[in-house]
Amino acid sequence: MLIHVELMGPLVDYLPESQHGQTTQSLRDGATVADLLNELNIKRKVVVAVNDEEEKELEHVLVDGDEVLVFTVISGG
């Protein structure tokens, strides 16, 4: 299945510069958000939105054509 991915902020460094933080990732059927992050080699804590729905858990199962937005956790004081 194909998943459309957009990485925000400093996460764009996980993709070649020519992709501007966007890519289409091929994953096996039944793959989860955690599987996608592993494929992209993202080991840090991130927030993931799927199809414009806020924050999905790592166990969320993706389906063909999903649009995934990945961004870093923002904290303030």
Side-chain angles (χ1 to χ4, degrees), residues 5-8 11-13 15-23:
V5 182
E6 184 172 358
L7 304 179
M8 304 298 293
L11 296 173
V12 299
D13 294 338
L15 295 175
E17 190 172 317
S18 63
Q19 292 181 319
H20 305 291
Q22 297 183 20
T23 189

Side-chain angles (χ1 to χ4, degrees), residues 36-74:
L36 172 63
L37 295 176
N38 285 334
E39 286 288 320
L40 295 172
N41 212 19
I42 298 175
K43 306 292 184 206
R44 61 193 294 180
K45 185 169 175 73
V46 295
V47 177
V48 177
V50 179
N51 300 327
D52 296 323
E53 293 181 22
E54 292 190 23
E55 201 167 342
K56 294 295 183 181
E57 299 294 324
L58 293 176
E59 299 81 22
H60 177 79
V61 177
L62 299 167
V63 297
D64 188 51
D66 274 350
E67 294 185 9
V68 178
L69 177 65
V70 184
F71 47 100
T72 57
V73 176
I74 300 171

